[in-house]
Structure formats: C-alpha cells, structure tokens
Amino acid sequence: MPELPEVEIVRRGLELVLAGQLFARVTQRRADLRYPLPERFAERLEGRRVAGLERRGKYLLARLSDRNVLVIHLGMTGRFTVNEGAKEVLDGTVRDRGSNPKHDHLVFVTGSGAAITYNDPRRFGFMLLMPEAEIHSHYLTGLGPEPLGDSFDAAYLASRARDRATDLKTFLLDQRVIAGLGNIYVSEALHRAGLSPNRRAASLARLNGKPAERARRLVPAIRSVLEDAIAAGGSTLRDYRQADGAKGGFQNLFSVYAREGEPCARQGCRGIVRRGINGGRSTFFCGACQR
DNA sequence: CCGATTACCTGCACGC
DNA sequence: TGCGTGCAGGTAATCG
C-alpha cells in the first residue's frame, strides 16, 4: 500500500488517538509479521505513554515515555484502524472495516479506551522496539533525505545520480537516495517532470553542459505529487485505508499509474499511457511527452 | 561496490 | 465451480 503520503495520513490519524496516551493493553495474535515481533512486545509497551508520532520516509516512529521508539513499517498491506470501543474490538464483535479479521495481528488499547487494530494480510510489515538513540545513530541512517524537506534539492539528486548506470525509475525507488517514494509516486512524478523512466539515472546530472537541468525539473514534480496526494488523503488501490476506514482519493487523480491504454493527461499531449517494466516492477508512462 | 533477480505472503482477477 | 497463472503500495538476501 503505503508510500510516503499514505504513511503520513496514517501518522496523522494515529496521532489523534495516540499522542499523549498510555498503552493500556496490547494484544498480540501471532509471533511474527515480516520479522519476529520484539521479545515481550506487549509488556514492553503496556504502561508506556506515547510522547509523539513521527514519520521518516515510509516508517512510522512512535516515541515512548521510556525513551524507546516503536518503529513501524506497513509493508504492502499493513493497515491501522481505530475504533473507539476497545471491548467490542477485543471481543471481535466489531467488524465491517472492510478487512479480513483473520489478519488482525495486533490490537493496541489506549488509556482512554480506544482500540487500534493492525491488520496485514501479506505480513510484509514489521515492528521494532529500540532505544531512541539507536534509530538515528544506525537504524535509519541509510535512508535518503525527506523529499518534502529542505535538504532534498536538485544539486543533491544530481550528485547522487552522477555515476549510476541504472534507469531513472529504479534509482528513484531506492530509499537510500530518497526516502518515501514507491511505485505509484515515482511513475506520477516522472510524468509531471516529463522524464522517461527508462533513461539512465546519470542523465539527471547534466543537460547540454548545464548541471542538474533535469534534476531541477524533477524535484518540484516529486514534491508536488506528494503534496497533492497527502491533500487527497493518499491513494487506495485495495488495502490502504485512513485510520477511520476511509479510502484515499488520489487514485482518482492519477495521470499515468494503472492507466495503461488511456490518453495521456498532459494538456496538448496526444500520447497513450504505456506500461513497462523497470527493476521487475510495472511502470506507467507516456512515451510521447516523457523523454 | 553495483545491478539484476528472487524470495517473502496472501488475495484477487483472469482465462480455461 | 475450480484450478492454474500472474500481479499487487514493500524490503532484503543472493548471485554474478
């Protein structure tokens, strides 16, 4: 599911019910997601307060009152839903969130009685619990800059791309280069920038001798796509939901993603959206206006 | 180091 | 109806 915009929407939704709250009760229904859940997971959360919810790339970070951090990654199908009535959730009498209850792996009950359920059919998501100091000093250190932050700019992109032989799309999916882009938003950003997913990443570095000319186009394209997607509540293909169960709206605003065969949305372009493969994953692009 | 491929896991859409 | 195939927002291990 979830790329940066979806994770950000989830963060905002969880913040409303979790910030400042106690983990009163944590129920764990299986031992592992993608990785084994932390040892004594529930007992290390219960009684701790959530000091704040942050996002780094596609990671959610819940800072706890005991200076540990709950690190959460939603994988492809991880989903949090919030219910006000904890008892009904634990009883299993609350349903109808549009997800299969057999994949409800964790339930977090807060001090004020809200229940937050983590559901993840494919279990590509994971959760870690580690001291605050460790996440910044080594766990997340390999991640690239936040695309909506100040340190992400054309000069940075161009310098990272300079010696890369891989194609532009695969390059942008690399979380060490930029944190938070995934398959949808790379396709959309490349379309906005008018750049082909198949050109070599290194070609960002210069154009006609001018440094970073293409990178200069790409940066605002990436930023605007992410901002628009956040404003629309993220993109729902199938699994993704906001914390209140609502679908996102950005899938209705896709220019190329999942629109193979449709006319290019760019004003004045007569191209047809095509599907290609980069790094083994589907890419959607217009061969006419993306060069 | 780099780049390409495969694995991980379940659900769903599709063709037969 | 059922069965096989391929594909799906993710990362990470492995192999050249």
Side-chain angles (χ1 to χ4, degrees):
Chain A
M1 105 158 111
E3 308 181 28
L4 186 153
E6 291 74 31
V7 177
E8 177 60 22
I9 297 295
V10 170
R11 188 197 69 75
R12 293 177 188 182
L14 291 182
E15 188 171 48
L16 295 175
V17 285
L18 219 40
Q21 289 293 318
L22 222 52
F23 282 122
R25 183 164 164 210
V26 176
T27 305
Q28 177 181 337
R29 301 216 163 102
R30 58 175 301 135
D32 49 74
L33 300 172
R34 176 173 188 147
Y35 309 117
L37 284 158
E39 295 288 320
R40 302 172 8 254
F41 186 55
E43 90 185 61
R44 288 171 64 193
L45 293 177
E46 286 171 356
R48 274 65 169 189
R49 200 166 289 281
V50 178
L53 270 168
E54 288 154 32
R55 181 191 56 72
R56 178 76 176 89
K58 301 175 191 171
Y59 288 86
L60 282 169
L61 307 171
R63 283 190 301 111
L64 305 182
S65 52
D66 66 357
R67 302 210 148 258
N68 282 309
V69 178
L70 174 58
V71 178
I72 300 166
H73 197 291
L74 302 173
M76 293 270 256
T77 56
R79 159 169 165 183
F80 282 104
T81 40
V82 176
N83 284 83
E84 296 307 322
K87 182 178 180 303
E88 291 76 8
V89 169
L90 293 172
D91 287 350
T93 50
V94 169
R95 277 295 133 238
D96 186 33
R97 297 190 320 272
S99 58
N100 187 334
K102 86 173 169 190
H103 302 302
D104 287 353
H105 306 309
L106 293 160
V107 181
F108 305 86
V109 176
T110 70
S112 64
I116 298 158
T117 303
Y118 180 74
N119 180 285
D120 188 355
R122 292 176 75 178
R123 302 200 306 279
F124 286 170
F126 55 89
M127 299 194 193
L128 310 167
L129 201 46
M130 63 180 69
E132 219 163 48
E134 273 182 42
I135 60 166
H136 294 114
S137 68
H138 69 162
Y139 188 72
L140 298 176
T141 43
L143 275 187
E146 285 293 315
L148 298 177
D150 294 337
S151 65
F152 176 63
D153 59 23
Y156 166 81
L157 252 197
S159 76
R160 288 299 301 262
R162 188 160 32 216
D163 46 2
R164 296 293 300 274
T166 193
D167 62 81
L168 181 52
K169 193 220 178 193
T170 303
F171 171 74
L172 293 173
L173 281 175
D174 186 341
Q175 302 298 297
R176 297 167 301 183
V177 174
I178 318 178
L181 294 182
N183 212 31
I184 293 174
Y185 297 110
V186 167
S187 279
E188 292 294 318
L190 286 171
H191 181 258
R192 283 195 190 196
L195 293 172
S196 167
N198 301 316
R199 68 166 44 257
R200 285 165 58 102
S203 69
L204 286 186
R206 59 188 53 248
L207 175 63
N208 301 330
K210 296 176 71 177
E213 192 57 33
R214 294 192 182 92
R216 241 186 284 286
R217 268 195 280 158
L218 192 47
V219 167
I222 290 170
R223 284 214 173 100
S224 67
V225 161
L226 296 176
E227 284 164 357
D228 291 352
I230 290 170
S235 302
T236 298
L237 300 187
R238 41 177 77 80
D239 296 289
Y240 166 70
R241 290 296 140 82
Q242 302 181 40
D244 62 2
K247 294 184 183 188
F250 194 72
Q251 67 280 3
N252 301 315
L253 302 174
F254 287 165
S255 295
V256 287
Y257 190 84
R259 301 189 65 145
E260 183 182 15
E262 296 181 34
C264 176
R266 184 189 304 279
Q267 189 79 309
C269 179
R270 319 223 56 136
I272 298 292
V273 176
R274 292 161 47 191
R275 179 204 285 258
I277 302 283
N278 299 81
R281 309 186 66 195
S282 285
T283 306
F284 298 88
F285 67 106
C286 172
C289 68
Q290 291 181 248
R291 295 312 175 107

